[in-house]
Amino acid sequence: AQSVTQLGSHVSVSEGALVLLRCNYSSSVPPYLFWYVQYPNQGLQLLLKYTTGATLVKGINGFEAEFKKSETSFHLTKPSAHMSDAAEYFCAVRGAGGNSKLTFGKGITLSVRP
Amino acid sequence: NAGVTQTPKFQVLKTGQSMTLQCAQDMNHEYMSWYRQDPGMGLRLIHYSVGAGITDQGEVPNGYNVSRSTTEDFPLRLLSAAPSQTSVYFCASSLTGTGGNQPQHFGDGTRLSIL
């Protein structure tokens, strides 16, 4: 079985500040990890993914995430928040091979203060 | 390229009514899935399909039926709507089901209210 934990439901930062959204996972097989963003009244859009290889993954809109196997973490960061980053962010895990399902965390709402 | 298209975008039903949520993709993806999104619950998998003619249950399948007669379409049927099924429903697809590195592409959702 696999699971994703996103601690807290809401993060608020000032414009220009560092964004850090935490994600921890559990998986019995080597995982594939994803971050998705959801803007109000829209579907989910892929921000970035980790499959194999380099553990620091760069995504769209200046976001990046680092896969740390020893910590079973895949935290999302952005050096400088922009007002347009306000959205809900979901971390997800999918096991390699087979008919593996995508399991989502509960999501974190990011607010950006002017 | 339309991607994943869901219809309708909004729907209000009365308890006991049935309806079908439509989902179509034009990317020739093998894998399609339905999720429901509820506040504080993230997205939960209802049903999924790894190809035409093959479907399987996800985490919360009760009260829902699916079929996959073509690669492009994956409709979700509510048999007898209940207030607990009030939610936002998302359809998603990916190139294959095996090989978990394939990201899923999401539709814009159907917002369903059951009175």
Side-chain angles (χ1 to χ4, degrees):
Chain A
Q2 57 195 28
S3 66
V4 174
T5 301
Q6 294 183 253
L7 288 177
S9 60
H10 185 243
V11 169
S12 180
V13 301
S14 298
E15 191 173 20
L18 171 71
V19 176
L20 170 60
L21 304 180
R22 299 178 186 275
C23 173
N24 289 89
Y25 70 92
S26 68
S27 176
S28 58
V29 296
Y32 297 128
L33 295 157
F34 305 84
W35 275 99
Y36 286 86
V37 60
Q38 184 182 30
Y39 298 103
N41 299 314
Q42 294 187 24
L44 276 71
Q45 178 182 358
L46 181 70
L47 267 179
L48 49 79
K49 67 176 182 179
Y50 167 78
T51 55
T52 59
T55 56
L56 182 62
V57 180
K58 295 187 183 299
I60 62 172
N61 301 338
F63 284 93
E64 62 183 34
E66 185 171 12
F67 171 60
K68 292 187 176 180
K69 184 177 180 181
S70 61
E71 299 177 8
T72 61
S73 69
F74 191 56
H75 301 330
L76 182 71
T77 60
K78 182 174 180 178
S80 177
H82 192 272
M83 297 296 291
S84 61
D85 295 326
E88 191 161 16
Y89 292 81
F90 293 93
C91 181
V93 62
R94 195 175 189 183
N99 294 328
S100 54
K101 307 177 188 64
L102 191 63
T103 300
F104 285 87
K106 295 188 187 304
I108 297 175
T109 300
L110 175 66
S111 299
V112 182
R113 303 185 301 271
Chain B
N1 203 352
V4 179
T5 302
Q6 291 184 237
T7 56
K9 294 189 183 302
F10 302 94
Q11 185 70 50
V12 179
L13 291 178
K14 294 181 179 179
T15 298
Q17 287 184 316
S18 63
M19 81 160 293
T20 300
L21 279 63
Q22 302 291 345
C23 175
Q25 53 89 12
D26 61 358
M27 298 173 283
N28 202 32
H29 284 174
E30 292 184 0
Y31 186 91
M32 296 186 74
S33 54
W34 276 102
Y35 297 87
R36 59 177 290 174
Q37 182 180 24
D38 302 291
M41 303 289 287
L43 279 78
R44 292 180 292 170
L45 182 65
I46 305 172
H47 285 285
Y48 66 99
S49 168
V50 299
I54 306 170
T55 63
D56 205 348
Q57 296 181 349
E59 181 184 355
V60 288
N62 292 339
Y64 307 96
N65 272 358
V66 292
S67 59
R68 185 92 180 271
S69 57
T70 67
T71 299
E72 293 78 19
D73 300 300
F74 190 44
L76 177 72
R77 281 181 288 277
L78 278 69
L79 308 173
S80 177
S84 61
Q85 294 178 304
T86 293
S87 187
V88 182
Y89 291 85
F90 287 100
C91 179
S93 71
S94 62
L95 190 58
T96 62
T98 56
N101 62 346
Q102 300 291 334
Q104 294 201 14
H105 299 258
F106 285 80
D108 287 338
T110 294
R111 285 151 185 81
L112 182 62
S113 294
I114 316 296
L115 304 178

